[in-house]
């Protein structure tokens, strides 16, 4: 299995980009805090994270931001666990008779460049990292940490968040493009000149012998952009435009826009574009966004606690054999 959604044009849609950016900011807004009943464990983890940042040349905040970004965009995030005794102050430990080398660093791997290697039972047995065309590295299952959200039955990867709303996003973009063409078309009104009356229809000009329609048409074509023309009562001029009849796509845009926003668990009020939502309704709508953000925070917290913090704690000198 592989993931290849992040470069999809759906992510460049303005509502999608703004929604994901806002969620990321809310998730990381208050930073993080290490909490434990044992203050010594907190000091130890802080020291190890600082050491890992030095070895990997990337701060833990940067790593957390990359994980959050991957989870938001694709519901998948991968970290490579590098183990090297000389580059770590953690202690060697044992799982039974198996020697476990201490962790030296965690390295973020772009989810769009990694494939899952599965056996005939559909179990993940390893990972393949595509470095470039025809060049790749393979990792054992225990060398990669994988956070996956919303996994469908039978799949080992998370379902990207835009999968349920992809058709609505594409429909919204197509309708907006149609409206843009319509507005451009109707921005320049059509000038209609009627020459003559029912009793005295247009004929030939007595002076020049030309048709009156041709004379008036030439006058219009040669008219300056900021100018005008003078006619007799036999010429009636009208400006034909949309006349409030053609620009009816706005209701369709609103319909698909609302479908996209619902799929993104966000509202136009949250994005700062709402104009008619009351304060009470805004708080209700924002509550859905808050719950969605807290859901992501919980997944990321549990992932880091179980797969990063706990293994580091097991490497404390008192836990080694």
């Amino acid at each position: 299995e592989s993931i290849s959604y992040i470069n999809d044009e759906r992510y460049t849609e303005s509502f999608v980009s703004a929604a994901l950016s806002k969620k990321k900011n809310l998730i990381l807004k208050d930073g993080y805090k290490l909490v434990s009943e044992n203050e010594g464990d907190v000091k130890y983890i802080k020291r190890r994270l600082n050491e890992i940042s030095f070895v990997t040349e990337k701060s833990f905040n940067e790593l957390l931001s990359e994980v959050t970004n991957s989870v938001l965009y694709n519901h998948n995030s991968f970290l490579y666990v590098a183990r090297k005794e000389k580059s770590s102050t953690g202690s060697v430990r044992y799982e039974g008779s198996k020697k476990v080398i201490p962790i030296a660093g965690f390295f973020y791997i772009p989810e769009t460049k990694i494939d899952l290697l599965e056996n005939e039972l559909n179990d993940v047995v390893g990972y393949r990292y595509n470095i470039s065309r025809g060049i790749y590295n393979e990792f054992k299952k225990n060398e990669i940490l994988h956070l996956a959200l919303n996994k469908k039955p039978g799949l080992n990867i998370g379902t990207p968040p835009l999968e349920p709303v992809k058709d609505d996003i594409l429909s919204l973009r197509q309708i907006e493009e149609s409206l843009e063409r319509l507005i451009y078309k109707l921005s320049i009104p059509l000038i209609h000149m009627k020459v003559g009356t029912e009793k005295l229809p247009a004929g030939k000009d007595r002076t020049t012998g030309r048709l009156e329609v041709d004379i008036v048409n030439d006058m219009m074509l040669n008219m300056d952009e900021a100018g005008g023309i003078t006619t007799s009562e036999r010429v009636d001029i009208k400006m034909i435009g949309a006349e409030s009849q053609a620009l009816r796509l706005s209701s369709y845009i609103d319909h698909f826009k609302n479908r996209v926003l619902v799929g993104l668990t966000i509202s136009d009020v949250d994005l700062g574009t709402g104009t008619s939502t009351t304060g009470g309704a805004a708080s209700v709508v924002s509550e859905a966004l808050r719950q969605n953000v807290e859901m992501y925070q919980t997944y990321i917290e549990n992932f880091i606690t179980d797969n990063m913090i706990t293994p580091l704690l097991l490497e404390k000198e008192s836990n080694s054999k």
Side-chain angles (χ1 to χ4, degrees):
E1 294 180 46
S2 61
I3 305 168
S4 58
Y5 298 94
I6 199 168
N7 294 323
D8 196 296
E9 64 175 5
R10 288 168 286 175
Y11 289 93
T12 63
E13 208 283 326
S14 58
F15 287 123
V16 174
S17 178
L20 295 178
S21 177
K22 186 175 185 67
K23 288 184 182 182
K24 181 179 179 181
N25 291 335
L26 290 174
I27 291 172
L28 302 175
K29 177 182 177 182
D30 297 324
Y32 67 91
K33 184 179 181 181
L34 297 172
V35 180
S36 174
E37 296 179 356
N38 188 333
E39 187 62 28
D41 287 345
V42 174
K43 292 181 179 179
Y44 169 77
I45 290 299
K46 287 182 177 179
R47 176 172 64 81
R48 289 298 308 277
L49 291 180
N50 288 333
E51 292 170 356
I52 288 173
S53 296
F54 177 78
V55 172
T56 61
E57 298 183 346
K58 181 176 293 185
S59 69
F60 184 71
N61 281 327
E62 290 179 285
L63 185 65
L64 183 59
S65 177
E66 290 175 331
V67 170
T68 302
N69 199 66
S70 294
V71 171
L72 277 174
Y73 274 74
N74 282 329
H75 277 181
N76 289 275
S77 185
F78 297 88
L79 294 177
Y80 168 63
V81 184
R83 297 179 180 274
K84 190 174 182 180
E85 194 171 352
K86 293 183 178 180
S87 301
S88 174
T89 61
S91 301
V92 175
R93 62 187 179 90
Y94 291 85
E95 294 180 352
S97 59
K98 181 181 178 181
K99 181 180 180 181
V100 181
I101 304 300
I103 297 172
F106 298 100
F107 293 88
Y108 167 77
I109 298 180
E111 65 277 13
T112 54
K113 300 189 69 175
I114 196 166
D115 298 327
L116 279 62
L117 303 178
E118 302 169 336
N119 60 18
E120 62 277 3
L121 298 177
N122 201 40
D123 295 326
V124 177
V125 295
Y127 298 88
R128 181 165 55 198
Y129 174 46
N130 299 299
I131 300 175
S132 62
R133 295 181 180 179
I135 303 175
Y136 58 86
N137 281 341
E138 290 192 0
F139 301 103
K140 298 177 181 178
K141 182 180 179 180
N142 60 3
E143 292 181 308
I144 298 293
L145 302 178
H146 179 199
L147 171 57
L149 276 67
N150 193 23
K151 290 194 295 185
K152 292 182 178 179
L155 296 179
N156 292 310
I157 59 174
T159 303
L162 296 191
E163 196 66 20
V165 294
K166 62 180 181 180
D167 292 334
D168 294 328
I169 293 173
L170 296 177
S171 295
L172 175 62
R173 174 163 290 186
Q174 290 171 357
I175 293 175
E176 288 176 335
E177 290 175 353
S178 297
L179 180 59
E180 183 180 356
R181 290 194 296 269
L182 182 60
I183 292 174
Y184 178 78
K185 180 179 179 180
L186 297 177
S187 62
I188 302 177
L190 176 65
I191 300 176
H192 176 242
M193 294 185 175
K194 183 173 67 174
V195 183
T197 63
E198 292 183 2
K199 293 183 178 181
L200 296 173
K204 289 186 177 182
D205 180 72
R206 295 180 180 179
T207 305
T208 62
R210 298 179 61 202
L211 293 175
E212 291 180 290
V213 172
D214 292 339
I215 295 175
V216 174
N217 187 62
D218 289 343
M219 293 171 60
M220 180 182 66
L221 293 177
N222 296 321
M223 181 177 59
D224 293 335
E225 291 184 2
I229 59 175
T230 302
T231 69
S232 66
E233 75 283 357
R234 289 172 53 76
V235 179
D236 184 21
I237 302 176
K238 288 184 178 181
M239 305 286 284
I240 302 177
E243 299 178 344
S244 302
Q245 300 297 318
L247 297 177
R248 292 181 177 177
L249 291 179
S250 59
S251 61
Y252 296 101
I253 289 180
D254 290 339
H255 172 74
F256 282 99
K257 169 189 170 184
N258 291 333
R259 288 178 62 91
V260 170
L261 294 180
V262 168
L264 294 172
T265 322
I266 201 167
S267 72
D268 53 359
V269 176
D270 296 316
L271 294 175
T273 61
T275 56
S276 60
T277 305
T278 63
S283 63
V284 173
V285 172
S286 297
E287 177 67 13
L289 174 60
R290 184 187 67 79
Q291 292 179 357
N292 186 251
V293 167
E294 289 181 350
M295 180 271 292
Y296 281 112
Q297 287 177 326
T298 300
Y299 273 106
I300 295 172
E301 287 172 4
N302 293 338
F303 173 73
I304 292 176
T305 299
D306 297 340
N307 297 281
M308 298 174 67
I309 304 300
T310 299
L312 290 176
L313 284 173
L314 292 175
E315 295 176 359
K316 288 184 69 174
E317 187 175 355
S318 59
N319 292 326
S320 61
K321 187 174 178 179

